[in-house]
Amino acid sequence: MPEHDDKSWQSVTLPNAFNETQAFGRDIKGLSTGIIWYRKHISLPADAVRGKVFMEFEGVRQAAEIWVNGRSVALSEHGVMAFGADITAALTPGNNVIAVRVDNDWKYKERATGSGFQWNNDNFNVNYGGITKNVRLHLTGQVYQTLPLYSTLGTTGQYVWADGFDIAGRRATIHAESQVRNDSAAARALSLRVEIRDLAGRRIARFDSATTSIASGDTVTLAAAAPVADLHYWSWGYGYLYTVTTSLMDKGEVIDSVDTKTGFRQTRFGDGKIDLNGRTIMVHGYAQRTSNEWPAVGTSIPPWISDFSNALMVESGGNLVRWMHVTPSKQDIESADRVGLMQAMPAGDAESDATGRRWDQRKEVMRNAIIYNRNNPSILFYESGNENISETHMAEMKAIRDLYDPHGGRAIGSREMLDSRQAEYGGEMLYINKSAKHPMWSMEYSRDEAARAYQDNFTPPFHRDAPDYNRNQDSHAIEDVKRWNDYYVMRPGTGTRVSPGGVNIIWSDSNTHYRGDNNYRRSGEVDAVRIPKQGFFAHQVMWNDWVDSVTPATHIIGPWNYAPGTVKDMSVVSNGQSVELFLDGRSLGKGQRSDGFLFSWKKIAFAPGTLRAVAIHADGNTSEYSLTTTGPAVALKLTPHVSPRGFVMDGADIALIDVEAVDAQGRRVPVDASKVHFDLKGPALWRGGIAQGDSQGKARAGQTVGEAVAAKAHGVDGTTSYAGTAREEDNYILSPDLPLEGGVNRVLIRAGTEAGTVSLTATAPGLEAANLSIATELPAVAKGGLSTDFADAFQPSSLVRGPTPALPSFTPHRSTFIAQGIRAASAQADVGATVDDNELTHWASDGKPENGWIEYRFAAPVLLSEIDLKLVGWRSRAYPLELTMDGHTIWRGETERQLGYTTLRFTATTGQTLRIRQTGPVQDKDAFGNVVELAAGQAGDTGADSVPPGWHLGIVEVEFHGPAS
């Protein structure tokens, strides 16, 4: 009730989760749930025009009922998307009380139907409960442009897009539409004025629609378009945005205006490739949980923190983030716009298709999400499911896209969908897919986990490497290189069927479904506070370009601080042709190259000094990287990170502070693990950091090694859990004492609401203490409980990579030839499956040794030097094969077990008929047995369950290549 006394309630600043301080301190399944109430008192501005008043909730987890002055005005239950509330009729003059009841029960049921929500899932969708995203109040007149809030309000707002692109000439036709509602008592004759301003605020275009009569009570869409020149196209690492202002004009007077922040870019999805602004781009980035959370604050972070994290993705070479399972926050979507990071946007899912009401819920959330986010240029993909869905369901999702975003240049698809005629993109979770039609990029690859604290076998805490989700940093980075190279060797330019890339799971350690020791997922390329792991730097080397890796780059994996007598295998990541290692100028020899980018040295003896890797590239250029042994740690060092306008005392802002152990020369000591004590003073709240272990000193049960053990079987919307030894540790969440990992850690401080200086002191035994003072800023004063101080307005765009380059992004590396005739000793009716560009079909011989062959004939003699094969059971079967050209043997050996395609290379040979013959039986021996996600029987599996081993030659796809023309 409005008269309820709430003076004893805790004051919070939105966004806020009531259980945010549990983030990373507990298993996802142990996060607090229940009913929580929020109340706010507001008074509308005295000079506000009496019109309409709307509330926009960017997101509440899970269900929210909105009350104004004791009157229920809206109910939202989906828990992932924005929704609106028309509160006009419930308002009174003077003080008004808004109350929100939130229920974040894992088993919440929809009131009208009794159905749960597929994505309210305690593995993937972390449950930070409450008003976890921003809330805005909109005041309009009786005639107004609607909000893009289909959920609850049923309105679609504005839609801005471009077509008629002249990329070289930097011109396009800009279209703007706005839905307009006339709630006045009389008809109105109105037009739409469109003004476009660049990043500097300069108006570059203005144009108007025709005048339209809108009857009382009617809702219509007004539209205008005009060619615009001198455009800056939005691109990877080039977050160039425009402000498009749509204004309702009545007899030359502006009666309502809306600003839409957007960017313009051209896309194309076809021939197995993805084009951005006329240039092919191989996607390389990260599959990231939509929560994108931080320790002890969860998802309730200011916009600059989103930019800090997302810009690091770009810095690592990432160009695409695939948010997982549910729609990302508006804040993260807008952040990706600013930093130039392409996005794949899901709606709502866990894993598996759905039926009945749960499928309808998924369609509704996709509709709402498209309407809400269709003006954000960074979104290139709409994801309809985290696993394959039926063709009927895919068609339904596509129809929603076509209705609400027909011009946005976005592909809609789903994970898998390998033989779909409806999906516009697809791709599996780990396996390598290729296509000559719509792009098939990997949705989640390189799945292993590795804590940042575990550097290698020779650095405390001396973690024994275990490839089953408990790797150390050396091993994890090497695995990243191996797994990326699987896609890189099949990149655009290598044939008519190509891989357009894929995304590594995961970007930052996440408080969601884990497989290793801890109660959170550690497979990030940065840890939970975004300190880079070694994989971050490996990706920088491999991913700096659009397709071909040509910008010279080199990185030595690991530190160069070891105990005397240490002998260690060393690894370097480089896109050079050869790499030589030097220690204080003395050559240690050239590395053994493997997996495209990896160079290795066996048994390198440590000695203090400077270790330098020098790479020579194909064009003769060089790149190098060096590590120097530091002295012992003598002091602590503190470095702050704050928003562009400083540390703002709005109760929501966060300051990040790095703490390092440094030697006498001020260099970070990469093996220091000192435990640091922090003392905070001033108007701020301690949120601390994260580290391996428990702040109460509880000893671990032991170390998990060997094969992961399934503790719960995979089921519908479920997943497998695994044994671990550190599940009950609190990971030092909220503790004022925090160990360094690799000589560094990072802590968070939450802003208060009072003026004053924030001071932090860090101490550790044997080290000189560090002190830091942070001046604070006050936000604009709120009036009547309402603030016009929006933190995102202070966030600049990043243009760090510059505009889309004009040069081609790849060089053709091979010529591809198509066979005109195919014959086999058995199953002749199926031979076409080997060249049909469908990875769910295959040909297999009948099991008789004499029939284990298939033959391809070309229309004329061709020059071949290699073939690509996808063989049935590719991850578990090594086939002994012989290739003959016109009867002459050109290759003989055993194929490797791998995650998709194997390439057989031989001396370039001219001929007309190539035969592939099995020379011995095969047996199943899984080379990736610890990658337990990939169980038999799933769509897109290897087919080993349908074709027996032994003398069965099974081919999914084969391609024939020769030297580039």
Short mmCIF file of all heavy atoms in Angstrom, two decimals, residues 771-805:
data_model
loop_
_atom_site.label_atom_id
_atom_site.label_comp_id
_atom_site.label_asym_id
_atom_site.label_seq_id
_atom_site.Cartn_x
_atom_site.Cartn_y
_atom_site.Cartn_z
N ASN A 771 49.47 2.88 -1.24
CA ASN A 771 48.32 3.71 -0.89
C ASN A 771 47.78 4.38 -2.14
O ASN A 771 48.54 4.77 -3.03
CB ASN A 771 48.71 4.78 0.13
CG ASN A 771 49.21 4.19 1.43
OD1 ASN A 771 48.43 3.72 2.25
ND2 ASN A 771 50.53 4.18 1.61
N LEU A 772 46.46 4.52 -2.18
CA LEU A 772 45.81 5.12 -3.34
C LEU A 772 44.63 5.95 -2.88
O LEU A 772 43.85 5.53 -2.04
CB LEU A 772 45.31 4.02 -4.29
CG LEU A 772 44.51 4.46 -5.51
CD1 LEU A 772 45.41 5.18 -6.51
CD2 LEU A 772 43.85 3.25 -6.18
N SER A 773 44.53 7.16 -3.42
CA SER A 773 43.36 8.02 -3.17
C SER A 773 42.66 8.29 -4.48
O SER A 773 43.30 8.60 -5.49
CB SER A 773 43.79 9.34 -2.53
OG SER A 773 44.29 9.13 -1.23
N ILE A 774 41.35 8.16 -4.48
CA ILE A 774 40.55 8.40 -5.68
C ILE A 774 39.59 9.55 -5.39
O ILE A 774 38.74 9.46 -4.50
CB ILE A 774 39.75 7.15 -6.08
CG1 ILE A 774 40.66 5.94 -6.27
CG2 ILE A 774 38.96 7.41 -7.36
CD1 ILE A 774 39.92 4.66 -6.57
N ALA A 775 39.74 10.62 -6.15
CA ALA A 775 38.79 11.72 -6.05
C ALA A 775 37.45 11.26 -6.62
O ALA A 775 37.40 10.43 -7.53
CB ALA A 775 39.30 12.93 -6.82
N THR A 776 36.38 11.75 -6.08
CA THR A 776 35.05 11.31 -6.51
C THR A 776 34.28 12.46 -7.15
O THR A 776 34.58 13.64 -6.95
CB THR A 776 34.25 10.75 -5.33
OG1 THR A 776 34.06 11.78 -4.35
CG2 THR A 776 34.98 9.57 -4.70
N GLU A 777 33.29 12.08 -7.92
CA GLU A 777 32.40 13.04 -8.58
C GLU A 777 30.97 12.77 -8.11
O GLU A 777 30.60 11.63 -7.85
CB GLU A 777 32.47 12.90 -10.10
CG GLU A 777 33.85 13.04 -10.70
CD GLU A 777 34.37 14.47 -10.66
OE1 GLU A 777 33.51 15.39 -10.66
OE2 GLU A 777 35.59 14.67 -10.63
N LEU A 778 30.17 13.83 -8.03
CA LEU A 778 28.76 13.67 -7.70
C LEU A 778 27.93 13.74 -8.97
O LEU A 778 28.22 14.52 -9.88
CB LEU A 778 28.31 14.76 -6.73
CG LEU A 778 28.82 14.64 -5.29
CD1 LEU A 778 28.40 15.86 -4.48
CD2 LEU A 778 28.30 13.36 -4.63
N PRO A 779 26.90 12.92 -9.07
CA PRO A 779 26.02 12.99 -10.25
C PRO A 779 25.15 14.22 -10.18
O PRO A 779 25.10 14.93 -9.16
CB PRO A 779 25.19 11.71 -10.12
CG PRO A 779 25.11 11.47 -8.64
CD PRO A 779 26.43 11.93 -8.08
N ALA A 780 24.45 14.49 -11.27
CA ALA A 780 23.47 15.57 -11.26
C ALA A 780 22.42 15.30 -10.19
O ALA A 780 22.07 14.15 -9.92
CB ALA A 780 22.82 15.69 -12.63
N VAL A 781 21.94 16.35 -9.58
CA VAL A 781 20.99 16.22 -8.47
C VAL A 781 19.65 15.70 -8.99
O VAL A 781 19.11 16.20 -9.98
CB VAL A 781 20.80 17.57 -7.76
CG1 VAL A 781 19.73 17.45 -6.67
CG2 VAL A 781 22.12 18.06 -7.19
N ALA A 782 19.13 14.68 -8.33
CA ALA A 782 17.82 14.16 -8.68
C ALA A 782 16.74 15.07 -8.14
O ALA A 782 16.88 15.65 -7.05
CB ALA A 782 17.66 12.75 -8.13
N LYS A 783 15.66 15.21 -8.86
CA LYS A 783 14.54 16.05 -8.44
C LYS A 783 13.28 15.20 -8.41
O LYS A 783 12.92 14.56 -9.39
CB LYS A 783 14.36 17.23 -9.40
CG LYS A 783 15.56 18.17 -9.43
CD LYS A 783 15.34 19.32 -10.40
CE LYS A 783 16.54 20.26 -10.43
NZ LYS A 783 16.34 21.39 -11.38
N GLY A 784 12.62 15.21 -7.29
CA GLY A 784 11.39 14.44 -7.14
C GLY A 784 11.61 12.95 -7.30
O GLY A 784 10.71 12.23 -7.75
N GLY A 785 12.83 12.48 -6.94
CA GLY A 785 13.12 11.06 -7.09
C GLY A 785 13.48 10.66 -8.51
O GLY A 785 13.66 9.46 -8.78
N LEU A 786 13.62 11.64 -9.40
CA LEU A 786 13.92 11.37 -10.81
C LEU A 786 15.26 11.97 -11.19
O LEU A 786 15.56 13.11 -10.83
CB LEU A 786 12.83 11.93 -11.72
CG LEU A 786 11.40 11.42 -11.45
CD1 LEU A 786 10.40 12.19 -12.30
CD2 LEU A 786 11.31 9.92 -11.73
N SER A 787 16.07 11.21 -11.92
CA SER A 787 17.38 11.68 -12.35
C SER A 787 17.47 11.68 -13.86
O SER A 787 16.95 10.79 -14.53
CB SER A 787 18.49 10.78 -11.79
OG SER A 787 19.75 11.13 -12.33
N THR A 788 18.12 12.70 -14.39
CA THR A 788 18.42 12.75 -15.83
C THR A 788 19.90 12.48 -16.08
O THR A 788 20.42 12.76 -17.16
CB THR A 788 18.03 14.12 -16.41
OG1 THR A 788 18.72 15.15 -15.69
CG2 THR A 788 16.53 14.35 -16.31
N ASP A 789 20.57 11.94 -15.09
CA ASP A 789 22.00 11.64 -15.18
C ASP A 789 22.17 10.20 -15.65
O ASP A 789 22.09 9.26 -14.86
CB ASP A 789 22.66 11.85 -13.82
CG ASP A 789 24.18 11.83 -13.91
OD1 ASP A 789 24.73 10.77 -14.26
OD2 ASP A 789 24.80 12.86 -13.63
N PHE A 790 22.36 10.01 -16.96
CA PHE A 790 22.48 8.67 -17.53
C PHE A 790 23.95 8.38 -17.82
O PHE A 790 24.58 9.04 -18.65
CB PHE A 790 21.65 8.56 -18.81
CG PHE A 790 20.19 8.84 -18.61
CD1 PHE A 790 19.55 9.85 -19.32
CD2 PHE A 790 19.45 8.11 -17.69
CE1 PHE A 790 18.21 10.12 -19.13
CE2 PHE A 790 18.10 8.37 -17.50
CZ PHE A 790 17.48 9.38 -18.21
N ALA A 791 24.48 7.36 -17.16
CA ALA A 791 25.91 7.08 -17.25
C ALA A 791 26.34 6.73 -18.67
O ALA A 791 27.47 7.04 -19.07
CB ALA A 791 26.26 5.93 -16.30
N ASP A 792 25.46 6.10 -19.47
CA ASP A 792 25.87 5.71 -20.81
C ASP A 792 26.11 6.91 -21.72
O ASP A 792 26.80 6.81 -22.73
CB ASP A 792 24.85 4.76 -21.43
CG ASP A 792 23.45 5.34 -21.49
OD1 ASP A 792 23.20 6.40 -20.89
OD2 ASP A 792 22.58 4.72 -22.13
N ALA A 793 25.56 8.08 -21.36
CA ALA A 793 25.75 9.27 -22.18
C ALA A 793 27.20 9.74 -22.17
O ALA A 793 27.60 10.54 -23.02
CB ALA A 793 24.83 10.39 -21.70
N PHE A 794 27.99 9.25 -21.22
CA PHE A 794 29.38 9.68 -21.10
C PHE A 794 30.36 8.69 -21.73
O PHE A 794 31.57 8.88 -21.63
CB PHE A 794 29.73 9.89 -19.62
CG PHE A 794 28.91 10.95 -18.96
CD1 PHE A 794 27.69 10.65 -18.36
CD2 PHE A 794 29.34 12.27 -18.94
CE1 PHE A 794 26.92 11.63 -17.75
CE2 PHE A 794 28.58 13.26 -18.33
CZ PHE A 794 27.36 12.94 -17.73
N GLN A 795 29.84 7.64 -22.37
CA GLN A 795 30.71 6.61 -22.92
C GLN A 795 31.05 6.91 -24.38
O GLN A 795 30.16 6.98 -25.23
CB GLN A 795 30.04 5.25 -22.82
CG GLN A 795 29.99 4.69 -21.41
CD GLN A 795 31.36 4.59 -20.78
OE1 GLN A 795 31.64 5.27 -19.79
NE2 GLN A 795 32.22 3.77 -21.35
N PRO A 796 32.33 7.09 -24.71
CA PRO A 796 32.72 7.39 -26.09
C PRO A 796 32.76 6.12 -26.93
O PRO A 796 32.88 5.00 -26.42
CB PRO A 796 34.13 7.97 -25.93
CG PRO A 796 34.67 7.26 -24.71
CD PRO A 796 33.49 7.07 -23.78
N SER A 797 32.67 6.29 -28.24
CA SER A 797 32.88 5.19 -29.15
C SER A 797 34.37 4.92 -29.30
O SER A 797 35.19 5.83 -29.19
CB SER A 797 32.29 5.50 -30.54
OG SER A 797 30.90 5.32 -30.55
N SER A 798 34.71 3.68 -29.56
CA SER A 798 36.09 3.30 -29.83
C SER A 798 36.27 3.14 -31.34
O SER A 798 35.52 2.40 -31.99
CB SER A 798 36.45 1.99 -29.13
OG SER A 798 37.71 1.52 -29.55
N LEU A 799 37.26 3.80 -31.88
CA LEU A 799 37.56 3.73 -33.31
C LEU A 799 38.95 3.15 -33.53
O LEU A 799 39.62 3.44 -34.53
CB LEU A 799 37.45 5.13 -33.94
CG LEU A 799 36.15 5.89 -33.66
CD1 LEU A 799 36.20 7.28 -34.28
CD2 LEU A 799 34.93 5.13 -34.18
N VAL A 800 39.39 2.29 -32.61
CA VAL A 800 40.78 1.88 -32.52
C VAL A 800 41.28 1.16 -33.76
O VAL A 800 42.44 1.33 -34.14
CB VAL A 800 40.98 1.02 -31.25
CG1 VAL A 800 40.17 -0.26 -31.30
CG2 VAL A 800 42.45 0.70 -31.04
N ARG A 801 40.45 0.40 -34.45
CA ARG A 801 40.91 -0.35 -35.62
C ARG A 801 40.73 0.40 -36.92
O ARG A 801 41.21 -0.06 -37.97
CB ARG A 801 40.18 -1.71 -35.70
CG ARG A 801 40.55 -2.70 -34.61
CD ARG A 801 39.95 -4.07 -34.88
NE ARG A 801 40.44 -4.62 -36.13
CZ ARG A 801 41.51 -5.39 -36.25
NH1 ARG A 801 42.22 -5.72 -35.18
NH2 ARG A 801 41.88 -5.86 -37.42
N GLY A 802 40.06 1.53 -36.89
CA GLY A 802 39.86 2.28 -38.12
C GLY A 802 38.76 1.70 -38.98
O GLY A 802 38.22 0.62 -38.70
N PRO A 803 38.41 2.40 -40.08
CA PRO A 803 37.33 1.93 -40.95
C PRO A 803 37.66 0.60 -41.61
O PRO A 803 38.81 0.15 -41.62
CB PRO A 803 37.22 3.04 -42.01
CG PRO A 803 37.96 4.21 -41.46
CD PRO A 803 39.00 3.66 -40.54
N THR A 804 36.64 -0.03 -42.18
CA THR A 804 36.84 -1.27 -42.92
C THR A 804 37.90 -1.07 -43.99
O THR A 804 37.76 -0.18 -44.84
CB THR A 804 35.52 -1.72 -43.58
OG1 THR A 804 34.53 -1.90 -42.59
CG2 THR A 804 35.71 -3.00 -44.36
N PRO A 805 38.97 -1.87 -44.00
CA PRO A 805 40.00 -1.72 -45.03
C PRO A 805 39.44 -1.97 -46.43
O PRO A 805 38.52 -2.77 -46.61
CB PRO A 805 41.05 -2.78 -44.66
CG PRO A 805 40.80 -3.05 -43.20
CD PRO A 805 39.33 -2.89 -43.00
#
